[in-house]
Amino acid sequence: MFSSLMSRLPGLRAFIEKLEKHGELKRVRTPVSPILEIAEITDRIVKAEGPALLFEETGTSFPVLMNAYGSERRMALALGIEVDSAEPDPLDTISFRMQALFGKLLSPKASLLEKLQMLPTLAQVAGFLPRRHRGKAPCQEVVLSGEAVNLFHLPILQCWPADGGRYITLPVVHTYHPHTRQRNVGMYRVQVLNEKTTAIHWQLHKVSRRHYDAWKETGQKMPVAIVLGGDPVYTYAATAPLPEGVDEYILAGFLRGRPVPLVSCVTQPIEVPADADIVIEGYVDPQEPLVLEGPFGDHTGYYSLPDYYPAFHVTAITYRKDAIYPATIVGIPPQEDAWIGKATERIFLTPIRLTMMPEIHDMDLPVHGVFHNMAIVSIEKSYPGQGLKVAHALWGAGQLMLTKIVVVVDKSVSVHDYWAVARAACEQADLRTDIVFSQGPLDVLDHACSQMAFGGKLAIDATPKGPEERLFPPLVYPTPDPSRLSAEALRPDFTEILETNLRLIEKGIPIWVGSFRKSQKYHGRRLGEKLAQHPAFRGIKVILLLDGDMPIDDLGDVFWRFTNNVDMRRDTRVVEDEAGLPHLIIDASVKSLALDDFQRPWPNVTVMDEVTIQKVDEKWELYGLGPFLSSPSRKYSLLVQGEGAVA
């Protein structure tokens, strides 16, 4: 019976049919290259909030699916939520389901009858557990092993010009612990080194890295399987921030409402979903030397630079006869991964409330903050210091430990309204008492911290304060005059200022944003200190400085550059002016050894090369994708310093 259910499971082709039915997919029948061209086309479509793309002629036997999760609606469809385009927040549906289930499981049961009434719920939970598939699995209709293995038969992408090679960008990587046999299903980029070997980017804080370390102690080879395609819920589950030891396929079963069918691999002792499109089987030998991986144009919008990671040796490639190769690109936000992250933000709000912080009302991880750079939370406050308590608790909560900036507001403030959040931060946070600098683990991809994966953090308590929290009389800042804060008005005194963005100030939010030409030692810090003492800045609470020639009119771009380019302890300081008013100065300029004593290489931003841009320009009408879209890379090329991945 379970085997017969297999034919009805919503695999990747069924998802594509659903996207087409809802007008969410375009087919590209013009031949395209997986080397840069697909990525450049997709970057234009993603930035224009366009549809999913199915490239049918890729120079291989496999079509390539891109941008499949690139909107809230498509993300909801991927998770089985049938939505009307006008329905608000469809992803909250899953959070409500989870809350109802957790509520039943966690509520106290006083009587035998109440306990017996739990049996259907327990049976429902048991129905989420993965099960063995019987019979021939669709993912093994074609089996290539031995000399027949060649990764270059797959349309594996190179996304950005300075990438170290071609990357599998949407891999669902399967490992298990050698002693506990606990499975981990994660998404870790995979660089192809040759026909039968890749490098796997198992970062310091990831579960598969711990599995690797455990296998190393055994002296045995570590079985690994990389799954591509199948039910789109597998891709989402691989990205979900589950606690270690919780099987991702239980979450997938919950989201889909039925168990995930698993089958043993052909050449490795490890299980994979039977309805996958493509499976790459192999092993990692922990006794081997690590191999150089990277550079890679990453989701931060910057290249992550080369480092050493384990080599993966392919022993077989299996696939469906009608297999589709799914892929994605990451780079300067927004990209497709924004919507995968937003699904996590909505779905995991309930577990955070129920298991850690019941006072949390809502949460937002800004897309332009590339998720781990900022978290905004609203709380139902009931005692003094609760805002900072929540900030510290988030820094201890799973992958949220990597968050660089935490802003806590009252539940009356919408965390998704960034204007309202900025206004609350300026009105409610006293710079003398309501901000806390800390330090701790940061994402391995954070290029601004002085030590890899370790650096400064900032918490801002922007909740209303009771009398117990007011340690000093309140400060009164005068209303700033925008005409005195423009680049033209300031340039006679500060010749290095290039441009200003006064949109926040014009909305009554005293945050000044400016760019400058950097030429001196610690220039950003010193300029900020001088600006804080200038009479025009008396009413300004935050001074944010960026360098470079790129325009700063787009606040989304400003936010992206700011959150990526600062170590919050090193690059941020509070300075009092002559009237005793404190100002928060943030130096978000590019750091270097010569001007900042910065000891690490600074990466370049991810932009496409001019040859590929012109190629796509010339072919645009052939793709059948509607009116011409210019390359987003042209906007950001002003940030590139030199050539290659290192600025």
Side-chain angles (χ1 to χ4, degrees), residues 214-293:
W215 278 95
K216 191 170 187 176
E217 292 178 1
T218 70
Q220 302 175 50
K221 293 177 180 177
M222 175 183 180
V224 179
I226 298 171
V227 165
L228 297 164
D231 191 326
V233 78
Y234 306 152
T235 299
Y236 173 70
T239 70
L242 292 171
E244 186 170 354
V246 176
D247 192 334
E248 286 78 8
Y249 286 141
I250 297 177
L251 173 63
F254 166 77
L255 293 173
R256 191 56 76 210
R258 53 177 163 258
V260 174
L262 297 178
V263 65
S264 294
C265 283
V266 175
T267 60
Q268 296 296 327
I270 194 166
E271 293 181 326
V272 294
D275 58 335
D277 277 63
I278 302 166
V279 179
I280 304 171
E281 305 177 9
Y283 66 87
V284 167
D285 186 349
Q287 309 309 314
E288 285 184 342
L290 300 176
V291 295
L292 192 64
E293 188 268 357

Side-chain angles (χ1 to χ4, degrees), residues 17 74 122 160 173 197 240 249 313 332 340 368 370 519 535 604 627:
E17 291 172 5
R74 293 201 291 280
L122 295 173
W160 301 105
V173 180
T197 313
Y249 286 141
H313 302 278
I332 296 171
I340 299 175
H368 285 87
V370 298
S519 61
N604 256 324

Side-chain angles (χ1 to χ4, degrees), residues 30-41:
T30 300
V32 292
S33 171
I35 309 299
L36 301 180
E37 185 180 1
I38 287 178
E40 171 62 13
I41 297 168

